């Protein structure tokens, strides 16, 4: 097993993690920004107003982007399992 194969597997894993985590994180960020702007404009400083919309939006994004996230993770897992003999060093 060469170092390049290990680096490729780790790189593929990092990109898979970013692609899977990005949709809920971006939705949470956008909703949080909108809620913060709303709170600033209206001078409402209620803490639950910041969390409840973000939680609902992230939950909705997981429902919407769930099939994409599952497909991405499944493809990565299949790739790792398929290439497993290449990662094992014979003794």
């Amino acid at each position: 097993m060469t170092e390049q194969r290990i680096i490729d597997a780790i790189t593929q894993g990092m990109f898979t993690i970013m692609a899977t985590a990005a949709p809920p994180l971006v939705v949470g960020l956008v909703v949080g920004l909108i809620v913060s702007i709303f709170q600033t404009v209206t001078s409402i400083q209620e803490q639950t107003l910041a969390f409840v919309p973000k939680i609902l939006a992230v939950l909705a994004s997981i429902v919407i982007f769930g099939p994409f996230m599952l497909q991405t993770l499944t493809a990565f897992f299949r790739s790792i399992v398929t290439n497993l003999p290449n990662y094992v060093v014979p003794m």
Side-chain angles (χ1 to χ4, degrees), residues 11-72:
T11 303
Q12 185 183 9
M14 295 292 250
F15 282 124
T16 301
I17 290 169
M18 286 188 285
T20 305
L25 289 175
V26 169
V27 168
L29 177 72
V30 169
V31 170
L33 182 65
I34 291 170
V35 168
S36 296
I37 291 172
F38 175 75
Q39 283 181 322
T40 302
V41 169
T42 60
S43 297
I44 299 174
Q45 296 303 320
E46 180 63 32
Q47 292 296 322
T48 57
L49 184 63
F51 289 111
V52 173
K54 277 196 274 189
I55 291 172
L56 294 176
V58 168
L59 191 65
S61 72
I62 289 174
V63 169
I64 292 169
F65 293 110
F68 162 75
M69 294 163 60
L70 184 62
Q71 181 182 10
T72 304

